[in-house]
Amino acid sequence: MMAASKPVEPQSGSGLPRWQLALLVGTPIVLGVGAVYLWNRSRGKEKQGKRNGERKTPEGSASPVQGQHGAINPELENMSPLDKAQSAKNKGNKYFKAGKYELAIQCYTNAISLCPKEQKGDLSTFYQNRAAAYEQQLKWTEVIQDCSQAVELNPCYVKALFRRAKALEKLGNKKECLEDVTAVCILEVFQNQQSMLLADKVLKQLGKEKAKEKYKNREPLMPSPQFIKSYFSSFTDDIISQPLQKGEKKDEDKDKEGEASEVTGSSGFLKAKQYMEEENYDKIISECTKEIESGGRYTAEALLLRATFYLLIGNATAAQPDLDRVINMDNANVKLRANALIKRGSMYMQQQQPQLSTQDFNMAAEIDPRNADVYHHRGQLKILLDQVEEAVGDFDECIKLRPDSALAQAQKCFALYRQAYTGNNSSQVQKAMDGFEDVIRRFPKCAEGYALYAQALTDQQQFGKADEMYDKCIELEPDNATTYVHKGLLQLQWKQDLEMGLELISKAIEIDNKCDFAYETMGTIEVQRGNLDKAIDMFNKAINLAKSEMEMAHLYSLCDAAYAQTEVAKKYGLKPPTL
């Protein structure tokens, strides 16, 4: 169900956004906001401690000055206008530290009026300090006005840009907030956790809002035949995807060209099954509907097959009533009901309702305890929920029921590997790597085994061997586009070979022009190369192919981040480092 077209990443426990944790050109992360901010370099680390704190204080020393409430001391009469302004600012800082924000504002206003207009640096500081005081009073409009004045005087003023970003977010102006915080991230070389967390938060909100609207009105789109076959191959106890049995179809008359004539029987479901075998997927929903409307003997099967194709085209709203009906049919084959529960449970997981998802998987295990698919797919759910021990237990149960399930063996190895890797346990990592060797030795025809082993080898920086594993995958499944994407990413990480990487990802698109993962990855690389317009185009192509609202939200986040960078480049001439 959650077939391994993309790497499975459990939730991170570090509290950092995923894009901050990602490698420069490592495997893109599935559930996070994205590979846009991947320029996290080692430089600037020494400044990190200083930068990670909350920026509340105004700038400049708060040395005590005589006089009260902003009145100018007679001693100041002989000072230059700039010195007088600095003195007023210092008094403002003193009030600010004492929590007397109204008095601080009076002093900063005094400093602004005293300061010569040509002293742009000082003047921008005074505006920024007054904005800091307004921020303490939650006067967001005033904060934005003063920060805008400060930025106009000093376009790369990090404090003013970040303070304005926070105020814009408070007023719900996400687009402008994102532009400001993007400028801050670039100026700080992606070293400040605080500004990156704000960027992450706003990107996620924008992504969710846009995806909600777009997903509701999207045109249903049938995935590629390769994706559909890969999806069905992740089930072993699925009645509806089994080939037509003897007696289920008429003898096929061959015409002169040797092509099979259409099934002449009246059953819509049997016709749908034949279309499945012919990979004529577009006709399946309508044939299932005929079976259901006529109340035929295969109504339960037709409901489940129709629901499955509704899910495949991304129409969960239409799939759910069909799945509900099958689940509530007490007289239906238990395997059909369990399969419907697995699919509804996976649908709930995509909708980020893990509790409902877990309930469905548990019910499936209750009604059909010897169904290997239940444990296999529940194991994948547990990995997504970062419950690795329970995931391993489920994979073990699946293997006990189906000792020949190469997929479950490979995924169990990957679960153990992730647990050891994130726990920094080198002996367990080695044990998991040995487990992969065992899986590919016992199941040399399982492409998934090689693919997951390659991901682990890449983590371990054993790039040459990872490359060999991807070659094995391509040998076994030459039409699997995602393998070419992974191999392309590997070339970038291993040899910094941009041309080879892009060539392999282009090959993936050639094989399957509906491979959203390939467009997403291409977009990510173009961002890193500084080709933002091309990146946005790639992300938009991926958005139109997204298979769930959650995936679409993630892709919109990437697109918005790239767009924000184009705006920042225009406004401030700021660009992050490129490949």
Side-chain angles (χ1 to χ4, degrees):
M1 183 76 209
M2 301 169 223
S5 56
K6 296 183 185 177
V8 173
E9 279 285 341
Q11 293 297 319
S12 160
S14 69
L16 300 181
R18 290 182 169 279
W19 40 262
Q20 188 187 350
L21 297 170
L23 292 168
L24 175 62
V25 280
T27 309
I29 285 170
V30 188
L31 297 176
V33 167
V36 213
Y37 291 128
L38 295 177
W39 303 278
N40 193 352
R41 297 283 203 268
S42 57
R43 65 178 178 276
K45 290 275 185 192
E46 70 280 356
K47 297 176 189 171
Q48 193 167 358
K50 180 169 78 176
R51 287 174 172 168
N52 277 352
E54 174 70 53
R55 285 172 274 211
K56 283 182 181 168
T57 54
E59 292 195 0
S61 66
S63 52
V65 235
Q66 293 165 354
Q68 292 294 315
H69 308 312
I72 297 175
N73 192 298
E75 286 176 25
L76 303 181
E77 288 301 323
N78 299 324
M79 284 184 173
S80 70
L82 179 59
D83 287 341
K84 287 177 185 175
Q86 290 284 8
S87 178
K89 179 207 64 178
N90 289 342
K91 186 179 284 188
N93 289 358
K94 186 183 171 190
Y95 286 130
F96 186 99
K97 285 194 170 181
K100 297 176 179 177
Y101 302 117
E102 201 51 58
L103 293 175
I105 288 164
Q106 287 173 26
C107 291
Y108 296 140
T109 304
N110 197 6
I112 289 163
S113 63
L114 288 167
C115 186
K117 296 291 169 268
E118 66 273 11
Q119 299 293 333
K120 290 184 177 181
D122 296 289
L123 199 49
S124 68
T125 301
F126 304 153
Y127 275 114
Q128 199 285 137
N129 284 12
R130 191 169 70 177
Y134 280 133
E135 183 181 51
Q136 294 300 315
Q137 297 180 327
L138 313 183
K139 292 181 177 176
W140 307 117
T141 306
E142 287 85 344
V143 172
I144 291 165
Q145 286 168 352
D146 273 2
C147 286
S148 296
Q149 291 279 8
V151 170
E152 203 173 303
L153 292 159
N154 177 5
C156 293
Y157 196 169
V158 169
K159 272 194 178 183
L161 282 164
F162 188 60
R163 185 155 273 125
R164 186 170 69 178
K166 289 188 289 180
L168 286 162
E169 195 237 343
K170 293 287 184 189
L171 294 180
N173 194 334
K174 298 183 192 75
K175 184 178 170 291
E176 286 182 35
C177 165
L178 182 60
E179 285 172 23
D180 277 355
V181 80
T182 299
V184 171
C185 286
I186 294 169
L187 287 164
E188 295 181 326
V189 208
F190 302 92
Q191 293 299 314
N192 190 303
Q193 189 181 331
Q194 215 191 333
S195 46
M196 287 195 291
L197 284 169
L198 178 60
D200 188 56
K201 180 184 174 186
V202 175
L203 281 167
K204 281 178 178 166
Q205 287 172 349
L206 279 169
K208 277 182 185 170
E209 283 170 17
K210 290 184 179 182
K212 197 178 181 73
E213 193 56 36
K214 168 94 172 176
Y215 202 77
K216 198 169 54 184
N217 303 313
R218 73 197 276 274
E219 284 292 311
L221 181 75
M222 191 66 71
S224 65
Q226 194 279 328
F227 182 88
I228 293 169
K229 283 186 281 187
S230 167
Y231 173 88
F232 279 110
S233 74
S234 70
F235 294 92
T236 52
D237 275 328
D238 179 7
I239 296 169
I240 60 164
S241 63
Q242 302 307 317
L244 282 163
Q245 302 298 309
K246 250 188 181 172
E248 277 190 327
K249 60 182 172 182
K250 311 265 179 183
D251 289 329
E252 291 167 355
D253 299 316
K254 303 279 180 180
D255 61 22
K256 284 174 188 171
E257 280 77 40
E259 290 175 356
S261 61
E262 283 198 8
V263 171
T264 52
S266 59
S267 165
F269 175 69
L270 295 183
K271 278 189 183 176
K273 289 233 342 187
Q274 178 153 336
Y275 288 136
M276 277 268 287
E277 287 182 29
E278 294 168 2
E279 295 181 20
N280 194 350
Y281 299 121
D282 288 317
K283 294 186 177 175
I284 287 172
I285 290 175
S286 58
E287 289 301 334
C288 287
T289 302
K290 287 177 195 171
E291 180 81 25
I292 294 158
E293 286 175 354
S294 69
R297 64 181 277 210
Y298 296 111
T299 297
E301 287 86 347
L303 281 164
L304 184 53
L305 186 58
R306 184 171 74 172
T308 304
F309 272 87
Y310 278 142
L311 289 173
L312 283 165
I313 63 173
N315 190 349
T317 311
Q320 182 150 0
D322 285 358
L323 293 170
D324 292 349
R325 271 183 72 184
V326 177
I327 290 161
N328 295 321
M329 279 182 179
D330 293 333
N331 59 342
N333 183 315
V334 75
K335 294 242 173 281
L336 288 176
R337 293 175 64 215
N339 188 271
L341 282 160
I342 292 168
K343 286 170 180 168
R344 192 176 71 178
S346 298
M347 179 192 78
Y348 283 141
M349 194 59 198
Q350 281 196 321
Q351 294 169 349
Q352 294 180 287
Q353 300 184 72
Q355 212 174 341
L356 290 176
S357 181
T358 303
Q359 277 173 19
D360 273 359
F361 278 107
N362 294 349
M363 197 194 300
E366 268 173 48
I367 66 167
D368 194 8
R370 297 196 58 75
N371 186 328
D373 288 343
V374 174
Y375 304 103
H376 180 192
H377 290 275
R378 190 169 68 179
Q380 291 180 318
L381 166 74
K382 297 294 184 190
I383 288 178
L384 288 171
L385 295 174
D386 209 12
Q387 296 166 3
V388 183
E389 277 179 44
E390 288 179 40
V392 170
D394 275 338
F395 291 136
D396 278 337
E397 194 60 39
C398 173
I399 293 160
K400 201 188 297 175
L401 292 164
R402 292 253 175 188
D404 59 344
S405 173
L407 205 53
Q409 308 256 10
Q411 287 177 337
K412 176 191 168 182
C413 265
F414 192 70
L416 289 168
Y417 167 73
R418 291 302 306 170
Q419 188 180 36
Y421 182 66
T422 52
N424 216 5
N425 185 331
S426 53
S427 65
Q428 289 300 313
V429 164
Q430 191 49 55
K431 198 173 167 186
M433 301 303 267
D434 293 342
F436 278 121
E437 285 287 346
D438 187 51
V439 168
I440 62 173
R441 182 181 54 76
R442 287 190 295 134
F443 303 102
K445 295 271 189 288
C446 174
E448 185 82 358
Y450 296 108
L452 291 171
Y453 190 20
Q455 283 185 41
L457 287 162
T458 304
D459 272 347
Q460 297 299 307
Q461 300 198 332
Q462 295 181 40
F463 300 128
K465 193 163 182 184
D467 199 40
E468 284 172 33
M469 294 300 116
Y470 285 133
D471 284 341
K472 286 276 192 189
C473 289
I474 289 167
E475 203 179 294
L476 289 164
E477 292 183 351
D479 60 346
N480 189 331
T482 55
T483 308
Y484 286 92
V485 180
H486 286 304
K487 187 173 162 69
L489 284 164
L490 180 67
Q491 305 314 307
L492 289 169
Q493 198 177 337
W494 176 23
K495 298 177 178 174
Q496 287 76 54
D497 190 338
L498 197 60
E499 271 184 46
M500 175 63 80
L502 290 171
E503 194 182 306
L504 284 160
I505 296 161
S506 300
K507 173 83 173 164
I509 292 168
E510 197 183 301
I511 289 168
D512 178 4
N513 66 0
K514 291 179 178 176
C515 181
D516 55 330
F517 182 37
Y519 292 114
E520 176 188 343
T521 308
M522 187 76 91
T524 300
I525 292 168
E526 294 300 353
V527 168
Q528 293 166 15
R529 295 173 79 199
N531 300 335
L532 295 172
D533 289 340
K534 190 166 182 190
I536 290 165
D537 180 47
M538 290 290 130
F539 291 139
N540 279 322
K541 282 181 175 164
I543 285 164
N544 291 328
L545 295 164
K547 294 175 187 74
S548 69
E549 195 177 311
M550 189 169 78
E551 269 187 48
M552 195 179 272
H554 159 67
L555 289 161
Y556 265 121
S557 298
L558 295 178
C559 198
D560 285 335
Y563 180 74
Q565 286 174 51
T566 64
E567 294 303 295
V568 166
K570 280 181 214 162
K571 277 187 190 174
Y572 307 111
L574 284 174
K575 290 182 181 180
T578 54
L579 287 175

